[in-house]
Amino acid sequence: MLSLEEFIRPLSVDDLIRDFWPGELYVSETGPPRTALLEEVPELVAAEQVLAGYQRPVRLSRKGGPYASAPTGADAIPAYRTGFTCVMLGVEESFPGFKGLITDAARTFGLPVSSFTCEAFCSTGTSGLSMHSDFDLNFALLLHGQKRWRLARNRSIENQTSTCFSRGAAQADPRQERYAHSPFPDEMPEDSTEFEMGPGGILFVPRGWWHETYSLGDCLQVNLTIKGPHWAGVFTRAMETLLLEDPRWRNFAFGVTHPDGRRDAAVAELTALLDRLTRTGELLDTHELALRLLDRLDLENLSTGSQRKASKSTQGDR
């Protein structure tokens, strides 16, 4: 079974957690051969073999556009040969050898397995990725080719919940601009750092880092991606499960959209429900409430709606 330790070499898991997790950038521009990874997923020996074995839709992109898609990896091979970057999400569904890596990472970080996925990116010739910052955390392993990265912290927003693009670009989720405490920059910040990654290079990109890439030659990159959950999602999912144990909370919320007296009645009913929680002490002992909520958490279905939307709306490679 593929381990996280094997995937992130030469960095050890202990050093990762002590020195970099979760918010510090780590870069190793080259690294050792990933023999265990190739044993688990032999198709990673070449980009076209990965495409041929990938059974889900593929996103096709070029820096600055256009964007397109192909029904399967095999259908994307002609576009790959003409210079499009091919983006494959959820590759663990087509290549089960990645599932051991996901299981080990979930155990290491204390997160549900549903928070993890693997992604693959391949390109030939010259290609690249326009500036953006991701809401998730990524371990990016370059197996073949050369890739130049420019990175800088996104200092405009804290704990973004969707992909952010430069100012003036269409945002995947407009709420991110409302969450931001300053405008997004027009271009990569002046304090950007630049790295040239080669085969075996591993990059840990924390949540909320601007980055753009430039690839040369036949490139194949695999990412281990962590998509949450955030505390708002944990609380609302678990709180719903807890409240639904009371039949009064299972009543339909009639009148919530009416502008007349029916909405007043809905407000009164909700107020009575909240008052009862306060009177019975269910919201007063916060430690006990936290334990009860986490005990009722559905770990296998914890990804929030906003996280699913953010994942689906990301364009380009990472």
Side-chain angles (χ1 to χ4, degrees):
M1 184 181 77
L2 181 63
S3 68
L4 178 64
E5 189 92 23
E6 164 69 18
F7 190 81
I8 66 174
R9 288 193 303 154
L11 182 65
S12 71
V13 171
D14 287 344
D15 288 345
L16 166 70
I17 293 174
R18 185 187 65 239
D19 298 331
F20 302 100
W21 181 261
E24 296 299 323
L25 181 71
Y26 171 80
V27 180
S28 177
E29 295 179 328
T30 60
R34 295 310 199 275
T35 304
L37 176 58
L38 291 175
E39 289 176 352
E40 293 290 336
V41 189
E43 292 86 351
L44 292 173
V45 71
E48 290 199 13
Q49 290 192 33
V50 177
L51 286 168
Y54 184 70
Q55 303 302 314
R56 303 175 66 187
V58 177
R59 298 178 184 174
L60 307 171
S61 68
R62 281 178 169 153
K63 192 168 186 178
Y67 301 101
S69 63
T72 67
D75 296 309
I77 291 176
Y80 164 76
R81 292 174 177 171
T82 61
F84 278 89
T85 295
C86 298
V87 182
M88 292 165 276
L89 306 180
V91 294
E92 66 272 12
E93 299 303 322
S94 295
F95 306 105
F98 284 112
K99 292 187 176 181
L101 170 63
I102 289 175
T103 299
D104 189 45
R107 184 185 308 113
T108 298
F109 298 123
L111 291 169
V113 170
S114 59
S115 297
F116 294 80
T117 188
C118 289
E119 304 169 350
F121 311 87
C122 60
S123 60
T124 188
T126 58
S127 61
L129 163 68
S130 299
M131 168 187 165
H132 72 283
S133 70
D134 291 314
F135 75 99
D136 44 26
L137 300 89
N138 281 277
F139 296 90
L141 171 63
L142 187 63
L143 293 172
H144 309 293
Q146 299 287 327
K147 180 176 283 191
R148 184 183 306 128
W149 289 73
R150 293 187 67 204
L151 302 105
R153 290 185 187 273
N154 184 345
R155 302 184 187 280
S156 299
I157 184 173
E158 183 177 0
N159 291 333
Q160 64 191 78
T161 59
S162 182
T163 305
C164 296
F165 299 96
S166 59
R167 180 168 49 187
Q171 298 296 327
D173 180 355
R175 292 178 300 176
Q176 305 311 303
E177 292 180 304
R178 298 202 304 271
Y179 299 158
H181 49 76
S182 62
F184 296 149
D186 296 310
E187 57 188 17
M188 288 296 295
E190 293 182 359
D191 62 348
S192 298
T193 55
E194 187 169 313
F195 303 96
E196 185 84 28
M197 308 294 290
I202 183 77
L203 183 69
F204 172 55
V205 185
R207 184 182 187 187
W209 278 67
W210 294 115
H211 55 282
E212 62 182 15
T213 65
Y214 175 80
S215 303
L216 183 63
D218 295 336
C219 286
L220 176 59
Q221 175 182 306
V222 176
N223 283 20
L224 173 64
T225 301
I226 306 172
K227 297 184 179 294
H230 50 55
W231 280 115
V234 168
F235 177 79
T236 54
R237 289 294 186 88
M239 194 67 182
E240 180 183 30
T241 301
L242 175 63
L243 293 177
L244 289 175
E245 295 174 4
D246 184 334
R248 283 165 288 213
W249 282 99
R250 299 197 300 266
N251 193 17
F252 284 153
F254 296 118
V256 293
T257 63
H258 285 287
D260 55 20
R262 283 174 288 180
R263 187 173 187 278
D264 292 339
V267 170
E269 183 174 356
L270 179 57
T271 300
L273 289 169
L274 295 173
D275 285 343
R276 185 177 183 278
L277 285 178
T278 303
R279 287 196 307 273
T280 58
E282 292 188 48
L283 296 182
L284 297 180
D285 186 339
T286 54
H287 178 72
E288 180 63 26
L289 176 61
L291 291 175
R292 292 181 66 192
L293 291 176
L294 293 181
D295 285 344
R296 288 162 173 77
L297 206 54
D298 181 1
L299 296 180
E300 294 306 313
N301 296 285
L302 196 54
S303 296
T304 66
S306 63
Q307 288 169 327
R308 293 194 194 100
K309 178 180 178 182
S311 178
K312 291 178 181 179
S313 63
T314 304
Q315 294 179 320
D317 59 0
R318 293 185 185 272

